[in-house]
Amino acid sequence: MEIPNRGKNIMKTLCLAIVLGGLALSSALQAQPSEDTVSVPVSARQLRIDLPDAYSKMWPEDYRDLVANYSLSNGQTLSIISRGTNMYALVDQGPPHKIVSTSRNNYVALDRQLKMEIVLGGDQGASGSVTMVVPSRSLSDGRFVPEQVVLLAFR
């Protein structure tokens, strides 16, 4: 049975999320001093998507250079588009998420499903990362994969 490209991309994202979650759990279990306590290293990066109290709506002249397609490390594509006076981000053919600027080169979706750092490099292209929520899924073998937050780099 042929799996459509979108299905393959979703499966790649889910596999990446499972591997990252397993690695994090393995590290936490190794550092666990007792059954009731889990130590998390201070250097561990918390994957969270927060919308700060202060953020800026961007106008078309502010985000004109950001409107593009960006290749992500898992093979998916992040697209920044404009609709009227608003800026939206979508991954592959997923739903559009209205985004705002939270600081220089940093953007968050108002629905807290995406957080991006996009650094434009002129002729060298762009660099950055996307933190996104991967929704929970039921797999074909009956297993359930809970919602997870993953970090993907631009490539």
Side-chain angles (χ1 to χ4, degrees), residues 73-108:
S73 58
N74 69 344
Q76 291 182 297
T77 300
L78 169 70
S79 299
I80 304 294
I81 60 172
S82 66
R83 291 191 180 156
T85 60
N86 295 304
M87 185 167 67
Y88 293 85
L90 56 134
V91 177
D92 283 343
Q93 300 301 316
H97 304 275
K98 185 175 179 181
I99 58 177
V100 294
S101 175
T102 56
S103 64
R104 182 173 172 82
N105 300 327
N106 290 285
Y107 310 91
V108 174

Side-chain angles (χ1 to χ4, degrees), residues 25-77:
L25 180 60
S26 173
S27 297
L29 289 175
Q30 289 174 2
Q32 188 172 356
S34 73
E35 289 185 31
D36 298 326
T37 306
V38 175
S39 297
V40 178
V42 175
S43 63
R45 185 174 193 163
Q46 291 290 334
L47 293 180
R48 296 171 41 118
I49 301 175
D50 294 321
L51 183 63
D53 293 334
Y55 59 85
S56 303
K57 177 186 179 349
M58 294 180 66
W59 299 97
E61 59 272 9
D62 298 328
Y63 60 76
R64 185 173 299 120
D65 294 339
L66 292 171
V67 174
N69 294 321
Y70 303 93
S71 295
L72 301 176
S73 58
N74 69 344
Q76 291 182 297
T77 300

